[in-house]
Amino acid sequence: MRSFARRFLRNLPAAAGAAWVLGMILVCALVPWLAASDPLRVGGDAFAPPGAAYWFGTDNQGRDIWSGILHGAQVSLAVGFLAAITSSSIGVAVGAAAGFHGGWVDSFLMRVTELFQIMPRFFLALIIISLFGAGIGKVIFVIGVLSWPPTARLIRAEFLTLKHRDFIEAARATGIGDLTLCFRQILPNAMAPAVVAGSLDIAQAILLEASLSFFGLGDPNLISWGTMLYNAQGYLRQGWWLSIFPGAAIFLAVLAFNLVGDGINEALNPRLRESQG
Amino acid sequence: MDGTTATLFQFVLRRALQAIPLLLGVVVVNFVIIHLAPGNPIDILVGDFPAPPEYVARLSRDFGLDRPLWEQLFLYFGRLVQGDLGFSFANRQPVLGVILDRLPATLLLSGTALVLAAVLGVALGVLSSRRPYSILDNFTSVLSLVGFSMPVFWLGQLLIMGFALELRWFPAQGMVSLRADPSGWGRMLSIAAHLILPALALSVRFLALNSRISRASMLEILRQEYIVTARAKGLSEGRIVYIHALRNSMLPIVTVIGFNFGFLLAGSALVETVFAWPGIGRLLYDSITSRDYPVIMGIFLAVCAGIIIVNLLTDIAYAYLDPRVKL
C-alpha cells in the first residue's frame, strides 16, 4: 500500500489530478462561505464582465457566475460519485455472478451486458429523462444503471482467472460457503481493475450529466455547469465569460478524474508505463 | 466458391444472426419505456403537439392499447418491421421521413470528422511512435488527454467565439448561407465553410483515440521479428515504417472507430445543437423541446440499429483484414 501511494504520487499528472479533486471536494464543503449569493437569484447587472464586484461576471439575467460555478461543483461531484457507486455496485454484482457461476448464468448475464453495452447511453438517458422528467436523483440513477457493463466484464474476467487458483481451492476445501468464498476470498483480489474503472466512470458521469443539462434536461431547481453552458449558447456574442468559466470547470473536473484513474492504473501495474514507452 | 469464401460467408451469417436478439432487445426496451413513462402510452405515441381525435382513436386501435401487453408488443413490433415509426404532428410528416430528411447532414458531418480524425490521428500516432518522449510525442499525449476530457459542446462554443465571432474566418451557425447560390459551386463552397468548425469539434475525441492507439500499436509492431528481418534485409527505414508496420497497425483503428460509433453519434447530436447544423442531432434537440415523443423514440431506434449494423460490419471487416482471426 505504501509503495502504491509512493508510485501514485511520483506520477506528477496523477498527483495534480488528485489535488484538483481534493480541492473540489473542499470547495463543495465550503460553498456557503465562499459564495454568499444565491446562484439562481436574478440580479440587476446583466452581462457584467468579470471584475471586482463579480469575479466571473454575470449572465443574461444578472446571475453571479462565480456562485454558479461553486454550486455547480456540488451537483457535478454528487452525480459523479453517486452514479459511479451505483454502476460499480451493479457491475461487480453482475460480473461476480457471471464469473463465479459460469454456465447458463454466465451466458445469460453476458447477453444482457452486451445489450446494455450496445445501447447508446447518451440517447437512452435523454429519452428517459425527457419522458420521466428532470431531477438530479433520476439523472444519477439513469447514468448509474447505464454505465455498469465495462466493470461487469472486468470483474467477470478476474473471477474466471482467480476461481481456479490454489488459494481459492484451499479456501473451498475448508468448507466455507459460496457467498463467503466470493466476497471474502475472490472479490478483494479482483477489486483493482474495478477501482480504476470506477474513477474513470466518475469522469464519464460528470460529462454525461453536463451533456444532458446542455440539452436542457438539467434539474430545474439546481444550477449545474451543463445548464450554464446551455444558457450561454444563446449569448456567445454578448459575453465570452458565460461560456468560458462553466466549460473550463467541466473540463478540469473530468480531466482530474481521468488523471487519477490513469494514475491508479499505472501505480497498480508499474510495468504498464515501461511497456508503453 | 472456394473454401475461404465459404467460411467467410458462414462467419458473416453467424454474426448477422447474433445481431437479431440485440435488435429485438432494443425494441423491447423501447416498448417498456413507452409503457413505464408517467401518463398514458398514447400521449407518448402521439407527442405533445395537438393531434386530431380520430387519429388518436385509430392509434389506440392499431396498437391494441386495450389488449394484453404481450399482444401490444407483438403489434408494436409488426409496425416497426413495416418501417412505421409513427407520425410527427410537429413536422406534419411520418417519423421515418423526418429522420431520413436529416440523415444526409449528419452523415456529412460525422463522416468528415471521422476522416479528419483518422488521417490526423494516425499521422500523429505514427510520428510520435518514431521518437518516443520527443516534443511531438509529448504534444500528442497532452492532446489525447485533452481530447478525452473536453466536453464537445464547450469546444464547439470556443471555436464559434474564436474563429467565427472574433476572427470572422468561418460562419458561426447553420449549414448553408441564405445568400449563397442555391445550386452549383457557390452552394458547395458555402456548405464546406460551414462544415469546418463543427467537423473539427466533433473529430477531437477520435483524433485523440486514434493517435493513442496507433502510437501503441506501432510501438508494438516495430519490435516484432518480421520488422527485425526487414531491417536485416537492408530495407529503408521509410519502407519498413510506412509499408510493413503501418499496414498492420491499422487493424486496431478499424475496431476503435467501429466500436465507438455510439459516441460519434452522441457527439454529433451535441455539436449539431451548438452549430445549428440541420442533422438528426439537432432534430432530437428540437423534438425534446417540443416534446415530440414519436420522433425521439424513432431516433433512438434508428441510432441503435445503426450501432448494431456498424458493429457487425466492424467484426466482418476485422475478420476479413486479419487472417489470424478464426472465422
Side-chain angles (χ1 to χ4, degrees):
Chain A
M1 197 63 210
R2 219 40 181 287
S3 68
F4 166 79
R6 212 171 35 231
R7 276 202 299 269
F8 181 84
L9 291 175
R10 234 188 353 220
N11 180 347
L12 206 63
W20 188 259
V21 168
L22 287 178
M24 280 195 295
I25 294 173
L26 200 66
V27 161
C28 284
L30 297 177
V31 162
W33 293 277
L34 289 172
S37 66
D38 180 351
L40 293 170
R41 191 182 55 93
V42 175
D45 296 338
F47 297 116
Y54 304 101
W55 290 3
F56 285 179
T58 62
D59 71 1
N60 54 312
Q61 295 185 41
R63 290 173 295 200
D64 183 7
I65 292 179
W66 166 250
S67 174
I69 296 284
L70 295 189
H71 284 85
Q74 292 179 320
V75 173
S76 282
L77 283 194
V79 170
F81 279 111
L82 295 175
I85 289 172
T86 311
S87 70
S88 302
S89 315
I90 303 176
V92 166
V94 171
F100 190 76
H101 259 279
W104 67 269
V105 177
D106 184 29
S107 344
F108 173 73
L109 287 177
M110 281 301 109
R111 290 296 87 74
V112 175
T113 309
E114 225 170 272
L115 178 64
F116 268 86
Q117 202 152 24
I118 211 129
M119 283 191 300
R121 280 194 315 172
F122 172 68
F123 292 96
L124 194 49
L126 266 177
I127 289 185
I128 295 177
I129 300 294
S130 71
L131 285 179
F132 289 75
I136 188 170
K138 282 176 213 156
V139 170
I140 292 170
F141 175 78
V142 166
I143 297 179
V145 163
L146 297 181
S147 308
W148 56 268
T151 309
R153 279 170 181 271
L154 284 169
I155 290 287
R156 172 179 175 271
E158 290 289 314
F159 263 67
L160 285 178
T161 59
L162 284 169
K163 76 176 175 187
H164 296 300
R165 293 276 178 83
D166 289 344
F167 74 96
I168 299 298
E169 297 290 349
R172 198 194 294 271
T174 63
I176 59 174
D178 274 359
L179 271 182
T180 324
L181 193 66
C182 256
F183 284 102
R184 299 292 290 277
Q185 304 295 332
I186 307 184
L187 197 56
N189 289 295
M191 280 312 279
V195 170
V196 175
S199 61
L200 298 178
D201 275 354
I202 297 177
Q204 289 306 311
I206 292 176
L207 212 47
L208 193 50
E209 186 277 330
S211 308
L212 291 174
S213 299
F214 185 71
F215 254 60
L217 294 173
D219 192 319
N221 302 314
L222 292 170
I223 192 91
S224 111
W225 294 337
T227 314
M228 292 170 83
L229 286 181
Y230 165 71
N231 182 50
Q233 175 68 27
Y235 306 101
L236 296 177
R237 237 171 254 281
Q238 283 87 342
W240 50 267
W241 53 92
L242 268 68
S243 163
I244 293 283
F245 295 113
I250 301 172
F251 170 57
L252 291 173
V254 175
L255 183 64
F257 280 106
N258 276 335
L259 289 173
V260 169
D262 286 349
I264 297 176
N265 199 16
E266 281 174 15
L268 288 170
N269 311 299
R271 269 183 307 175
L272 200 66
R273 235 182 130 71
E274 289 148 35
S275 72
Q276 279 177 347
Chain B
M1 202 191 289
D2 65 84
T4 335
T5 327
T7 37
L8 185 66
F9 179 73
Q10 277 173 3
F11 173 79
V12 170
L13 198 70
R14 202 168 63 228
R15 283 296 291 114
L17 286 177
Q18 280 168 1
I20 291 175
L22 286 178
L23 274 172
L24 288 177
V26 168
V27 173
V28 172
V29 167
N30 224 7
F31 180 78
V32 168
I33 290 175
I34 293 178
H35 282 269
L36 279 184
N40 198 329
I42 200 77
D43 299 336
I44 315 278
L45 292 170
V46 177
D48 231 15
F49 208 80
E54 308 88 70
Y55 176 76
V56 176
R58 190 166 62 94
L59 208 61
S60 356
R61 206 171 51 243
D62 285 352
F63 280 90
L65 292 181
D66 50 349
R67 306 223 211 132
L69 268 182
W70 64 269
E71 265 182 61
Q72 291 186 36
L73 176 61
F74 208 68
L75 285 169
Y76 179 62
F77 192 68
R79 301 200 75 87
L80 291 182
V81 168
Q82 294 166 33
D84 179 4
L85 296 178
F87 192 87
S88 160
F89 279 92
N91 292 287
R92 296 174 183 283
Q93 205 187 336
V95 170
L96 189 63
V98 179
I99 295 177
L100 288 178
D101 279 352
R102 302 293 197 99
L103 189 62
T106 295
L107 288 181
L108 178 64
L109 174 61
S110 45
T112 311
L114 269 187
V115 171
L116 214 66
V119 173
L120 291 178
V122 172
L124 276 179
V126 170
L127 289 177
S128 29
S129 75
R130 303 285 300 120
R131 301 217 187 323
Y133 302 113
S134 62
I135 294 176
L136 180 76
D137 188 25
N138 285 330
F139 168 78
T140 308
S141 346
V142 171
L143 181 84
S144 86
L145 258 177
V146 169
F148 278 116
S149 307
M150 181 79 103
V152 69
F153 43 101
W154 184 52
L155 180 59
Q157 291 185 341
L158 290 181
L159 291 175
I160 289 182
M161 286 189 291
F163 294 103
L165 299 179
E166 194 62 38
L167 295 171
R168 297 183 177 280
W169 289 356
F170 301 104
Q173 299 223 300
M175 183 169 169
V176 63
S177 162
L178 292 176
R179 279 165 300 174
D181 184 1
S183 63
W185 289 105
R187 185 181 160 80
M188 294 257 286
L189 280 177
S190 173
I191 291 179
H194 282 82
L195 179 61
I196 292 174
L197 291 184
L200 197 65
L202 183 55
S203 72
V204 165
R205 188 192 168 91
F206 292 88
L207 211 160
L209 204 59
N210 287 344
S211 68
R212 198 182 263 200
I213 304 259
S214 57
R215 175 183 182 273
S217 67
M218 275 301 272
L219 281 174
E220 197 195 314
I221 283 170
L222 284 172
R223 272 201 292 256
Q224 296 204 347
E225 283 176 6
Y226 76 96
I227 297 292
V228 178
T229 314
R231 285 223 169 90
K233 269 172 38 182
L235 289 185
S236 73
E237 192 64 17
R239 200 179 156 79
I240 291 172
V241 171
Y242 294 104
I243 308 289
H244 287 260
L246 183 61
R247 214 162 66 187
N248 285 322
S249 70
M250 292 305 286
L251 271 176
I253 304 276
V254 174
T255 345
V256 161
I257 291 177
F259 293 139
N260 280 285
F261 189 64
F263 270 112
L264 180 73
L265 292 178
S268 184
L270 291 160
V271 168
E272 286 175 18
T273 304
V274 174
F275 288 92
W277 186 263
I280 291 177
R282 181 71 197 195
L283 174 68
L284 180 62
Y285 176 80
D286 294 337
S287 307
I288 284 176
T289 313
S290 62
R291 304 175 77 75
D292 192 0
Y293 298 121
V295 175
I296 304 177
M297 304 303 275
I299 291 177
F300 177 64
L301 278 177
V303 166
C304 287
I307 291 176
I308 291 173
I309 291 169
V310 168
N311 275 340
L312 185 65
L313 292 177
T314 309
D315 271 357
I316 293 171
Y318 198 88
Y320 186 73
L321 291 172
D322 188 347
R324 286 169 308 183
V325 174
K326 255 197 283 175
L327 293 178

